[in-house]
Amino acid sequence: MAKWTPKHEAPEPLEGPVVATITGGTILWFVLFLVQLPFYGWFADHGHTWWLWTCLAGAGLGCIGVWYVRRRDAAIKGDTARKAAAER
């Protein structure tokens, strides 16, 4: 079995408004949970309560994601500032 080797170099990762993207997704998951909450009885009768809990889990994990990317952005900005100060 031959070992796979890449034929070209990997592209640079895309950087964008990561915090805004994760925050928007988190809000969307929570809104979906709130919209489905009044229909809990219907979901329970049809065995679809996992839909609600999936939305709530998405919102909870999104909160962790927001915390993570905010710290990541702060670390990147801090590192950039330290490198700029060291070059002076």
Side-chain angles (χ1 to χ4, degrees), residues 6 8 11 14 16 19 23-24 30 37 45 49 51 54 56 59 67 69 71 73 76 82 85:
H8 53 81
L14 297 175
V19 176
T23 303
F30 190 67
L37 197 57
D45 292 343
T49 54
W51 290 6
T54 299
L56 190 59
W67 171 79
V69 296
R71 285 186 49 125
D73 278 357
I76 290 171
R82 275 191 297 279

Side-chain angles (χ1 to χ4, degrees), residues 39-62:
F39 304 103
Y40 183 83
W42 184 89
F43 286 118
D45 292 343
H46 293 87
H48 296 302
T49 54
W50 64 271
W51 290 6
L52 278 90
W53 307 127
T54 299
C55 292
L56 190 59
L61 291 172

